[in-house]
Amino acid sequence: ILRSDWSSDVCSSDLEINNPLAGIIQTAQVMKNRLGNPLPANLKTAETLGLKFDDIKCYLEKRGMVDMLDSLLDAGKRAAEIVSNMLAFSRKSTSQFSREDIQSLMDKTLEIAGSDYNLQKKFDFKKITIHKDYAPNLPSIACKAGELQQVFFNILSNGAQAMMSMSSPHEVPSFFLGINAEEGNIKIDIRDTGTGIDPDVQQRIFEPFYTTKPPGKGTGLGLYVSQMIIKNNHQGSLTIDSTPGKGTCFTILLPLEQPTKTKA
């Protein structure tokens, strides 16, 4: 689940991913120009075939092809952003503890989450309002930056999908992020305005392979791994507080002092 060689794999795959992505984006842009713009070459080809270019353009618009091409271009650009962000993310992944600013790690994770987009479900993280309540002058803490970003991303991603899948949300989908110092710990609250979680589900939410998602949509390992990262690797705690109909809040406590040892 947590691979020590993941960082090198991502870096070595950079060109392998970016090259076909560039080809997809460039081809989609050329298709859009040839199908939608009255360029001389396009007009001449249509005339040669006995077609009116405006009729072709009208047909494409009626069939939604123009919007599809726009969506393809947007998805390609977002994928390129994800690759770039994941490379930055992977470089943070290290087996050693380092002093990090938790607020900065959260903001960088939000940038990665901002590239999360599901074309089929019209899910777009950027449509979620983010409210921040960061205490000033918080000290840095010793931690594994990449692992903490993995935890933040998993909680944010789950909350975002829950909010955006609501058929009739009661309020604008929003995250309320709080980062403060509390009794020798850094306290991180991630609260969403989703539908909330039933008490019986909350009791099992950190169990391995437990998921409420349909088959093939989730492994049930995300929150389990997140708790292991916080509890075993950072000697902290990860808890949930949720009321059905009123959203969910995950609270992370991280010790200000570096753990003396970590568990496997």
Side-chain angles (χ1 to χ4, degrees):
I1 298 168
L2 296 177
R3 296 173 49 198
S4 60
D5 62 343
W6 180 73
S7 176
S8 60
D9 283 353
V10 172
C11 292
S12 63
S13 299
D14 180 21
L15 290 177
E16 296 178 14
I17 297 173
N18 278 330
N19 286 341
L21 270 179
I24 292 171
I25 294 172
Q26 183 179 13
T27 301
Q29 185 63 61
V30 171
M31 290 175 62
K32 183 178 178 182
N33 288 336
R34 293 189 178 183
L35 294 173
N37 293 330
L39 301 174
N42 297 341
L43 295 174
K44 182 177 180 180
T45 301
E47 182 180 356
T48 301
L49 297 173
L51 302 173
K52 293 183 178 180
F53 184 82
D54 288 342
D55 290 341
I56 298 174
K57 184 177 179 181
C58 182
Y59 168 81
L60 294 172
E61 291 175 349
K62 292 290 185 181
R63 295 294 294 158
M65 297 298 293
V66 175
D67 290 339
M68 290 181 186
L69 283 172
D70 286 337
S71 295
L72 178 60
L73 279 169
D74 186 56
K77 292 175 181 177
R78 286 173 181 267
E81 290 177 4
I82 291 172
V83 172
S84 177
N85 285 329
M86 289 301 291
L87 284 171
F89 182 100
S90 68
R91 294 186 186 106
K92 282 285 187 179
S93 297
T94 172
S95 61
Q96 302 299 321
F97 280 79
S98 59
R99 305 297 300 190
E100 299 288 346
D101 178 358
I102 294 298
Q103 296 173 342
S104 177
L105 285 182
M106 178 63 77
D107 287 341
K108 291 176 181 177
T109 308
L110 287 171
E111 292 178 7
I112 296 174
S115 299
D116 195 10
Y117 181 73
N118 188 305
L119 182 62
Q120 184 177 5
K121 296 181 179 179
K122 302 297 183 183
F123 164 74
D124 191 348
F125 191 95
K126 291 181 179 179
K127 293 182 179 179
I128 299 174
T129 302
I130 308 294
H131 302 273
K132 299 179 183 179
D133 181 16
Y134 294 175
N137 304 317
L138 285 179
S140 61
I141 67 169
C143 65
K144 296 182 179 181
E147 290 187 1
L148 289 188
Q149 283 187 277
Q150 181 178 345
V151 174
F152 297 161
F153 182 85
N154 185 63
I155 295 173
L156 290 167
S157 180
N158 285 346
Q161 291 180 41
M163 287 189 288
M164 299 300 287
S165 64
M166 294 171 63
S167 57
S168 56
H170 300 293
E171 54 184 306
V172 176
S174 304
F175 276 117
F176 295 83
L177 308 178
I179 303 180
N180 304 277
E182 181 180 281
E183 299 179 354
N185 296 293
I186 292 292
K187 180 183 178 184
I188 305 154
D189 291 314
I190 304 176
R191 181 167 66 88
D192 64 52
T193 58
T195 56
I197 302 173
D198 292 334
D200 57 335
V201 175
Q202 292 183 51
Q203 293 179 5
R204 301 189 60 191
I205 202 165
F206 295 113
E207 293 180 9
F209 304 109
Y210 178 75
T211 179
T212 59
K213 296 178 180 179
K217 299 297 183 182
T219 63
L221 290 172
L223 288 175
Y224 169 73
V225 171
S226 295
Q227 189 179 62
M228 292 302 98
I229 288 174
I230 298 300
K231 182 179 178 181
N232 290 11
N233 294 6
H234 293 82
Q235 296 186 2
S237 66
L238 171 61
T239 57
I240 181 175
D241 181 20
S242 182
T243 302
K246 296 186 178 180
T248 300
C249 181
F250 284 91
T251 298
I252 301 169
L253 290 179
L254 296 169
L256 286 169
E257 297 300 323
Q258 181 175 352
T260 55
K261 68 175 184 176
T262 60
K263 300 178 182 179

